[in-house]
Amino acid sequence: SAVISQKPSRDICQRGTSLTIQCQVDSQVTMMFWYRQQPGQSLTLIATANQGSEATYESGFVIDKFPISRPNLTFSTLTVSNMSPEDSSIYLCSVESGWTSTDTQYFGPGTRLTVL
Amino acid sequence: AQSVTQLDSQVPVFEEAPVELRCNYSSSVSVYLFWYVQYPNQGLQLLLKYLSGSTLVKGINGFEAEFNKSQTSFHLRKPSVHISDTAEYFCAVTPLDTGGGNKLTFGTGTQLKVEL
């Protein structure tokens, strides 16, 4: 299994500002994912982050709003840009050690973001 | 595309009673199925997964789930619950062997509340 930490664990931000969330894994992994969990709703995949290439975004999410970095096999960041109250959510990163659909995905504890 | 329906948003149950959390899915392709649990202020933890073979899958903490292809269901069960099982439970699916990792589609979650 993989141990995943996220920073910050929570934050309260002002409208129009940006926040960068860090995700650190205790072992090298191939796939890293970023999810959003809006209040009272399920998890929605934002993007897949692979080391050495640009992130792949899901429908409804764009790089200008959610830029992602993946500088190595144990670390990734997600930035929430020009925030509005609608961005208030829990943001979770997850990792996989393999490339196939049978691999277990491990999740971090999440970053709880409140935008005023 | 895939979708997952968890009809019960909340399930109250008394300690030591049995419980079933329902999950139905829709997909035009074959899928793998997962159940995750989220304890308060923690990340998601994998309970069990169905990839192939026996349709009855046993997971951690005494949980099991049965895959029913004809009914497109993957209900989670436990014969006797404990207070510590109080948590949010998410059903998820991913298409078989996409080669791009597990792009999980989650249901909206079921809050299991175990009472004394």
Side-chain angles (χ1 to χ4, degrees):
Chain A
S1 65
V3 178
I4 305 165
S5 61
Q6 285 185 234
K7 289 182 181 179
S9 58
R10 58 178 63 226
D11 208 341
I12 300 174
C13 300
Q14 296 297 320
R15 182 196 299 262
T17 62
S18 298
L19 176 72
T20 295
I21 302 167
Q22 299 179 5
C23 178
Q24 179 75 54
V25 192
D26 67 342
S27 58
Q28 294 185 342
V29 293
T30 51
M31 310 289 290
M32 295 185 80
F33 305 87
W34 286 97
Y35 288 84
R36 180 175 73 182
Q37 185 178 17
Q38 292 179 300
Q41 298 187 32
S42 186
L43 286 80
T44 302
L45 180 64
I46 298 172
T48 304
N50 296 328
Q51 194 255 341
S53 63
E54 284 204 4
T56 303
Y57 289 83
E58 297 300 305
S59 176
F61 298 96
V62 295
I63 188 171
D64 289 347
K65 176 67 176 177
F66 297 101
I68 288 170
S69 77
R70 179 85 196 271
N72 57 53
L73 293 175
T74 64
F75 187 79
S76 177
T77 67
L78 169 77
T79 299
V80 186
S81 302
N82 189 24
M83 289 184 284
S84 66
E86 292 72 34
D87 294 319
S88 296
S89 294
I90 299 173
Y91 292 86
L92 299 103
C93 75
S94 68
V95 305
E96 257 177 62
S97 56
W99 289 96
T100 71
S101 302
T102 60
D103 295 305
T104 295
Q105 198 164 127
Y106 299 96
F107 285 80
T111 294
R112 186 179 295 271
L113 171 61
T114 302
V115 184
L116 302 177
Chain B
Q2 294 74 43
S3 67
V4 178
T5 302
Q6 293 181 246
L7 288 172
D8 306 307
S9 59
Q10 293 186 38
V11 173
V13 63
F14 288 108
E15 194 174 34
E16 298 184 5
V19 70
E20 179 178 83
L21 306 184
R22 296 181 292 168
C23 172
N24 289 86
Y25 70 93
S26 173
S27 176
S28 57
V29 299
S30 296
V31 295
Y32 297 133
L33 301 111
F34 305 80
W35 274 99
Y36 281 86
V37 59
Q38 186 177 33
Y39 298 103
N41 300 315
Q42 295 186 31
L44 277 73
Q45 179 182 0
L46 181 68
L47 269 179
L48 49 79
K49 60 183 177 182
Y50 174 77
L51 304 179
S52 64
S54 172
T55 57
L56 183 63
V57 180
K58 292 189 183 299
I60 63 172
N61 301 340
F63 284 93
E64 64 181 31
E66 185 155 20
F67 171 54
N68 187 318
K69 189 173 183 178
S70 62
Q71 296 186 10
T72 60
S73 68
F74 190 53
H75 300 332
L76 181 71
R77 293 191 288 261
K78 186 170 183 177
S80 175
V81 296
H82 189 267
I83 284 285
S84 59
D85 293 323
T86 295
E88 186 98 22
Y89 292 79
F90 291 94
C91 181
V93 302
T94 190
L96 266 64
D97 296 324
T98 60
N102 269 339
K103 291 189 176 183
L104 294 168
T105 298
F106 284 87
T108 51
T110 298
Q111 177 67 44
L112 175 64
K113 184 174 182 181
V114 181
E115 302 168 352
L116 292 172

